[in-house]
Amino acid sequence: MTGKSETTTTVAQLPRPDGSRSPVSATLTRLVWLLWAASLGVLGLYVRRGGPWEVGGLAAVDGLTVAMWVTVTFFSGIVHSYSRRYMAGSKTIDGFFARVFAFTLVVMALVAADSLVLFALCWALMGLVMAELIGNSRGWPQAQAAASVARRYFLGGTAALAVALGTLWYHTGSTTVSELASSVESISTPVVLFAAGGFLVAAMAQSALVPFHTWLLSSMTAPTPASALMHAGFVNAGGILLVRFAPVVTVEPGFMLVVVLVGAASALFGKLLKTVQTDVKTKLGCSTVGQMGFMIVQAGLGFFGAALAHLLLHGFYKAYQFLSSGSQLEHKSPTKDGRGAAGVAGGLVVVATALAGGVLFAFLTGKGTKLDSGLLLTLLVVLTVLHAARELARDPALPSWIRYGGVPLVALPAIALYAAVYEATTALLSDLPATGEPAELTAVHVVVALAFVVAYVAIERGLYQRSQRLYVWLVNASQPPAETLLTSTEEYNEY
């Protein structure tokens, strides 16, 4: 006996149940970070070259492509690195890493696809791979049921996309996305509206908008890293689809109004659903339903650069939220959080900060300074700042001077950063057709704006809590299919 004890710290993959180790996770993690570095290089070349380049009618590298390549590979790198510890010891670790890496490659191919056939194929594969990630635990019946539910939704969205693409090909003879931009105006309005409707349905299914949100709420069986990738990347594909086919969806102003209404309904509904949830991941899922609604609203207003900025920033935020969700659990009896009213002084600071945020955004971007749909975009910024500032001002853990004095010091730089990202994404989309013209302001837009304000006040004041009928309806509306619910912990045993 030497009196000394030796310990070994394992910082990489743990052995699997059979005692073996696999190099798959380490190899794929290194590869995906190499892809991210290569994507940064392509972004630099694109900015220096100042324009897109095509690959024989099969693919096209443009601003949207390079922005998504950098973002998706970065998210995937984080998920790969995080999963080496999260999935350590799991017998499904190799299959999990293979699916996450395959998902990354498919999304990279999707955002670069110029061929209509390649785009549809990548769209279908993306959904199928994500369904496999949702059902990663083979011996868990609820996970397999959730994967089946998601697969049906994804295949339905793919069918809508295929019908839309087939319709456009039949009437224009175009076989690439770039050709559609110049040929779509040659076909009749009803045909264009039919195809645009197919794109909207596919976007709604992919982004979990109402009434397609149940697949997302049933997907909590996926490993948390897969959920992070899903909420940070997969659901954003609806916005990418509308940006890529902007020449089709912007042909008829009336259809853009429909897009705004669809997005607004999901934004408000997702916010309400979140208020009745009790577990962390389901709350995040309902939040995603609402945030994807906001993204679609921005696309419907004609601000495709804002939609791209929204999906990028939401991706970073939601990836962090999911990967850190375990730290939000506490083993103690539930108590009130102690949050109260901000007080008169706090209320004045919050309102002044929100208005200042809207003015700053309008000054930096030029949106909201004219009588057009830019007013709604600025209003969304004001409401967002108002909500964030109010939460900070009500935090009892902070001294009053920090809560009130720190609100503008935090909110206004954040708005400046958002405006910078918006300007950068708008510049990246400048070579894409039909993505630079905002919609004209109409009475429908005014009604949507009023609905947002009324709903915000009702939710923040807790008026919805006075109706038991509404509460029960919201709880029922947020329930995934019964076969995906875990009713007994004994039903889940990975091994």
Side-chain angles (χ1 to χ4, degrees), residues 123 153 156-157 160-161 195-207 212 241 255:
W123 188 273
Y153 277 98
L161 175 68
F199 290 141
L200 181 58
V201 170
M204 291 172 65
Q206 200 83 355
S207 295
F212 303 104
L241 176 64
F255 183 79

Side-chain angles (χ1 to χ4, degrees), residues 145-158:
S148 179
V149 169
R151 193 177 296 111
R152 290 197 298 269
Y153 277 98
F154 300 156
L155 291 177
T158 300

